[in-house]
Amino acid sequence: MAENTPIAKNKKYRRIATEEAWAPQELLDMYADLFNSKTLDDPGFNSLWGFYGTSMEPRPATVRRKLADLDEERLADMDAAGIDFAVLALTSPGVQVFDRDTAVAVSRDSNDILKAAIDRHPDRYAGLCAIASQAPELAAQELERCKELGFRGIINNSHTHGEYLSDKKFWPIFEAAEALELPIYLHPNTPPKNMIDPMLEVGLDGAIFGFGVETGMHMLRIITAGVFDQFPKLQFIIGHMGEALPYWMYRLDFMHNAQVSSKRYETLQPLKKKVSDYLKENVYITCSGMAWEPAVKFAQQQIGVDRVMYAMDYPYQYVKQEVVDMDAMDISDADKKLFFEGVATKVFKL
Ligand code: MN
């Protein structure tokens, strides 16, 4: 396929991409300022945004430009890749790296900018609401506002200053999300300071490995804390083929049961269901960054064809050939339509 040949529209299904990153230029400037200030004791952020926020190498410079564009360039890229519709989310770490008041203000401003872009291109975009988890009660209020504005879910970029949503102080967010029927996209962040060193020293802290380990653990913490026993209708979405969790389900079930029944940890209490049951009933999975047929099929087989959907991870992984590869998967027409269109339509109410 020549570089500029557009991928044809598919007549059998719309291609909906569900983990597509954006950031207003103001936020990118704040990331660069925060890195340059050398005041933030967060080696993951400084590694990631020291690179993407300030490097003049072609890849980071292109990513910065594409993140901030919600009009011509993004739509042209979607057209060239055959993407009909994109679910947009504030790039990692969103507002979660800031102090509480800054995070609250920037989340509102960002949501307003995204809402305006959706209004300009309502047939191409839907949005996820960015919240300041630093202020759970205010975040719940922002969710109500976002619901009224037509947002279709919530973006949470994993830990917030090393704290995890399994901590009950964050559960007002879950209460609001369940009541408003807004699914939560648990997107990676760089591993926190007390986790990152052995990865960072060998360059494995980012999307190559560290993101998946940290986000998979976050999803597990939410499950084992009993969040879905308290909020049974709450739905999460995790990318990158489920951050490896589908592949681990057998061991997760066996060892969770073994540890709980032997009362080894105070923090590991009995759940109403098996760990794998929550993955099948409260978690959706996208193929962001993992356009790999065997992994898609495994997740469809083990989690369910009604829970696995397409994502590109634009602009970090804008690879048109991946759309061609996913189009060509050896699965039934019905399951492929679910993968590209049906699951996303259902979970985001598009
Ligand atoms: Mn992503």
Side-chain angles (χ1 to χ4, degrees):
M1 187 173 67
E3 179 57 27
N4 293 317
T5 307
I7 294 168
K9 287 244 179 210
N10 191 298
K11 294 192 170 60
K12 291 180 183 165
Y13 45 81
R14 294 169 79 212
R15 298 191 193 92
I16 302 173
T18 57
E19 188 197 299
E20 313 312 306
W22 81 285
Q25 185 59 49
E26 297 88 330
L27 180 60
L28 296 176
D29 293 343
M30 291 175 79
Y31 288 165
D33 289 347
L34 192 53
F35 169 74
N36 288 325
S37 75
K38 304 198 188 316
T39 57
L40 188 70
D41 188 19
D42 181 341
F45 175 87
N46 288 330
S47 170
L48 186 73
W49 282 100
F51 176 64
Y52 279 112
T54 67
S55 170
M56 295 311 290
E57 290 291 318
R59 175 175 162 84
T62 301
V63 163
R64 279 199 298 278
R65 189 186 69 245
K66 288 182 186 293
L67 279 171
D69 182 282
L70 290 171
D71 295 285
E72 284 79 11
E73 182 168 1
R74 183 177 296 257
L75 291 170
D77 284 348
M78 288 169 61
D79 289 342
I83 302 300
D84 297 286
F85 195 86
V87 180
L88 302 175
L90 200 61
T91 200
S92 187
V95 302
Q96 291 165 244
V97 71
F98 300 123
D99 65 74
R100 179 183 183 280
D101 291 348
T102 305
V104 169
V106 177
S107 68
R108 286 183 182 149
D109 290 349
S110 301
N111 290 331
D112 287 340
I113 295 169
L114 181 54
K115 163 67 174 161
I118 294 166
D119 286 347
R120 291 196 298 278
H121 310 290
D123 55 338
R124 304 304 300 276
Y125 297 151
L128 303 184
C129 176
I131 52 169
S133 45
Q134 295 92 328
E137 301 289 350
L138 292 177
Q141 287 176 24
E142 180 65 1
L143 287 182
E144 284 187 32
R145 192 179 78 94
C146 280
K147 178 81 177 187
E148 285 171 17
L149 293 175
F151 283 76
R152 302 311 171 105
I154 302 159
I155 179 67
N156 185 276
N157 289 296
S158 201
H159 74 89
T160 303
H161 297 302
E163 294 189 308
Y164 287 87
L165 296 175
S166 47
D167 186 325
K168 283 197 170 164
K169 74 178 185 182
F170 295 113
W171 291 19
I173 296 169
F174 296 153
E175 190 178 351
E178 187 187 49
L180 296 166
E181 297 183 13
L182 291 171
I184 302 173
Y185 205 121
L186 189 70
H187 185 278
N189 190 354
T190 48
K193 181 177 163 57
N194 57 2
M195 181 180 184
I196 199 171
D197 281 355
M199 300 185 197
L200 189 59
E201 68 187 12
V202 290
L204 295 176
D205 53 301
I208 185 173
F209 189 70
F211 286 6
V213 171
E214 199 270 344
T215 310
M217 182 192 69
H218 195 165
M219 189 70 249
L220 268 185
R221 284 182 66 130
I222 289 166
I223 291 172
T224 57
V227 167
F228 298 116
D229 287 345
Q230 179 136 356
F231 306 102
K233 288 190 287 196
L234 183 62
Q235 297 294 324
F236 270 74
I237 304 149
I238 48 178
H240 318 99
M241 253 17 271
E243 314 294 7
L245 295 179
Y247 205 73
W248 275 72
M249 283 198 300
Y250 181 91
R251 190 166 175 83
L252 292 171
D253 284 343
F254 183 92
M255 283 299 170
H256 184 263
N257 181 58
Q259 307 292 18
V260 166
S261 53
S262 56
K263 300 183 171 60
R264 177 170 170 185
Y265 298 98
E266 178 72 22
T267 48
L268 215 50
Q269 291 296 318
L271 299 172
K272 289 182 181 169
K273 302 173 190 172
K274 291 186 295 185
V275 171
S276 63
D277 291 333
Y278 299 102
L279 287 169
K280 294 171 187 173
E281 295 169 23
N282 296 92
V283 178
Y284 288 83
I285 286 170
T286 82
C287 74
S288 57
M290 283 277 275
W292 189 29
E293 181 171 351
V296 172
K297 282 178 170 170
F298 180 79
Q300 286 183 321
Q301 186 185 38
Q302 298 303 326
I303 304 287
V305 290
D306 57 346
R307 289 209 165 256
V308 181
M309 58 187 154
Y310 175 72
M312 175 173 270
D313 213 356
Y314 181 92
Y316 296 99
Q317 198 155 331
Y318 180 52
V319 181
K320 285 178 276 185
Q321 180 62 37
E322 292 184 351
V323 180
V324 177
D325 294 344
M326 293 289 92
D327 266 348
M329 283 194 294
D330 183 22
I331 58 177
S332 72
D333 286 353
D335 287 355
K336 209 174 292 177
K337 187 179 169 83
L338 278 173
F339 175 74
F340 271 108
E341 178 182 0
V343 178
T345 300
K346 179 176 159 236
V347 67
F348 296 115
K349 298 189 173 73
L350 300 177

